[in-house]
Amino acid sequence: MNNEQKELRSMSLEELQQVMVLAGEKPFRAKQVFEWLHKKQVSSIEEMTNLSKKLRTYLKENYTVDTLKVAKELISSIDGTRKYLFKLSDGNIIESVWMNYKHGNSVCISSQVGCRMGCKFCASTLGGLVRNLRPSEMLEQIYRIKEATGQRVDSIVIMGSGEPLDNYDSVVRFLRLITDENGENLSRRAITLSTCGIVPRIYDLAKENLPITLALSLHATTNEERIELMPIARKYSLDEVLEACEYYFKQTGRRISFEYSLVKDVNNSKEHAKRLSELISKTNSHVNLIPVNPVKERSFETVTRKQAEDFQKMLEKNGVNATIRREMGRDISGACGQLRRSFIEKN
Ligand code: SF4
């Protein structure tokens, strides 16, 4: 067994039952362990007090339980948004965000340490991909944020560092664990996965019987423009990406969320609004307009509130549903991935 196989929090209930059989225990013990890990969300085997001392010792000798340590917590004085830097067991650092909205608390998690997708507007990719996160490390971002805030989590977005569909198997396993009725039991409708558009994996996800919301990073209205911003566009054309989104909607019944970052004088003209409306007119969707965050290492200028509203109006005139994303935690934020970068540079 390698380390990854021996990590208990990433295991399904069925796999934990096999662990119990190997330990010479009755399979029903697996449910107790599962509940300790995902309902009570403990950090160690030692805390599983309804297991015999013998079983706890056996588990400690043969398995591990991933847990994350808060390396830094920043709280916005404007809206209470909290940013967390977590330290993984191998010393790597990842970033997560807790946001309080009218409709509840939302957590944005990372799926990889770094990212290899190379999107031009993103700080997470500047150092490339370091490694994939394990399912347990994605779960732990949520469990430890619940512990730190003392509040429930109503929805999650997989929109932090990393491309979730580039870590497909672990992300799907994470989704099954976070929605398991014996654990956190989060509604699948309360989960959004954001992707730059890895087409074959969108088809795969559509078939998983996990009707979560798919957010597609579009950001451009022609292949040429998209290639400038997102290297993945060289591999999959806009037509292919949109066809995959259409398929996803048909399979899951979930409306697609198109993410469109507004960069001043780059993609916010009247022609862009028109082309964008035409492109997505066939898909049951909604557009999220994101005034781009300036990244220190790149030269992008963000739009004013008025320019964003003008673009939104142009889309709505063409019959496209669009909202402007509210910027949360302006005073502690910076672009996604920047907090982690500045922390690593200083430490
Ligand atoms: S936007 Fe997402 S996919 Fe693109 S580089 Fe950043 S983390 Fe990776």
Side-chain angles (χ1 to χ4, degrees), residues 99-304:
M99 291 155 287
N100 173 246
Y101 292 103
K102 261 192 261 135
H103 56 264
N105 300 322
S106 182
V107 170
C108 173
I109 64 161
S110 296
S111 56
Q112 296 178 313
V113 183
C115 184
R116 59 175 178 152
M117 293 297 141
C119 302
K120 291 284 178 347
F121 46 81
C122 178
S124 299
T125 195
L126 292 168
L129 174 67
V130 179
R131 73 165 172 88
N132 283 328
L133 290 185
R134 292 191 284 268
S136 52
E137 293 166 327
M138 291 180 250
L139 292 160
E140 271 286 284
Q141 294 173 59
I142 297 156
Y143 298 170
R144 291 312 134 218
I145 284 181
K146 277 178 65 188
E147 186 179 54
T149 59
Q151 301 215 33
R152 49 184 278 180
V153 168
D154 302 290
S155 62
I156 59 168
V157 289
I158 314 173
M159 219 178 253
S161 294
E163 162 53 56
L165 298 186
D166 189 39
N167 182 15
Y168 186 84
D169 291 344
S170 290
V171 166
V172 167
R173 186 175 265 265
F174 157 77
L175 291 170
R176 297 206 192 284
L177 288 166
I178 195 79
T179 54
D180 194 296
E181 57 180 7
N182 296 303
E184 180 68 16
N185 196 18
L186 193 74
S187 160
R188 292 181 294 197
R189 298 186 159 261
I191 303 173
T192 300
L193 179 150
S194 172
T195 177
C196 65
I198 302 182
V199 167
R201 296 289 89 78
I202 294 176
Y203 284 99
D204 291 341
L205 189 66
K207 295 175 201 148
E208 295 282 356
N209 194 21
L210 280 167
I212 58 168
T213 300
L214 186 72
L216 193 281
S217 297
L218 198 58
H219 307 309
T221 56
T222 64
N223 283 317
E224 294 69 34
E225 279 177 1
R226 200 157 183 264
I227 286 167
E228 288 291 309
L229 290 171
M230 307 170 74
I232 188 79
R234 285 182 205 283
K235 204 157 175 193
Y236 306 112
S237 70
L238 269 174
D239 282 350
E240 288 171 302
V241 172
L242 293 170
E243 216 172 287
C245 289
E246 185 64 24
Y247 179 83
Y248 188 86
F249 169 71
K250 283 197 181 122
Q251 287 290 311
T252 61
R254 303 293 292 155
R255 189 174 72 157
I256 304 294
S257 192
F258 287 113
E259 310 274 310
Y260 192 87
S261 286
L262 286 167
V263 188
K264 193 175 165 196
D265 301 330
V266 173
N267 66 357
N268 68 324
S269 71
K270 202 171 164 184
E271 290 70 46
H272 284 95
K274 189 164 171 274
R275 269 202 307 271
L276 177 58
S277 313
E278 284 164 3
L279 265 183
I280 63 169
S281 63
K282 281 198 293 214
T283 316
N284 194 324
S285 62
H286 172 269
V287 175
N288 246 326
L289 296 171
I290 311 159
V292 77
N293 257 313
V295 176
K296 193 174 79 195
E297 293 81 351
R298 315 262 204 220
S299 57
F300 284 130
E301 236 185 289
T302 192
V303 290
T304 61

Side-chain angles (χ1 to χ4, degrees), residues 74-83 98-100 329 332:
L74 293 176
I75 305 178
S76 162
S77 53
I78 301 171
D79 53 32
T81 294
R82 297 182 187 210
K83 274 213 164 192
W98 177 88
M99 291 155 287
N100 173 246
I332 55 164

Side-chain angles (χ1 to χ4, degrees), residues 19-76:
V19 169
M20 290 304 130
V21 171
L22 284 175
E25 295 277 343
K26 292 266 180 315
F28 79 87
R29 291 260 171 238
K31 193 154 169 234
Q32 290 178 327
V33 174
F34 193 91
E35 285 181 356
W36 280 114
L37 294 169
H38 301 287
K39 204 172 231 164
K40 302 187 189 98
Q41 302 168 358
V42 295
S43 305
S44 67
I45 293 166
E46 204 43 63
E47 290 165 80
M48 303 180 184
T49 48
N50 62 357
L51 306 185
S52 67
K53 194 131 198 285
K54 188 171 145 251
L55 177 56
R56 273 183 276 161
T57 306
Y58 171 84
L59 290 177
K60 276 193 283 183
E61 279 169 6
N62 295 283
Y63 300 90
T64 58
V65 168
D66 267 339
T67 191
L68 303 188
K69 299 261 176 309
V70 177
K72 195 173 185 138
E73 180 191 46
L74 293 176
I75 305 178
S76 162

Side-chain angles (χ1 to χ4, degrees), residues 268-270 273 277 310-318:
N268 68 324
S269 71
K270 202 171 164 184
S277 313
D310 287 347
F311 197 80
Q312 180 190 24
K313 278 187 204 135
M314 290 189 270
L315 291 179
E316 281 172 350
K317 236 169 83 202
N318 298 330

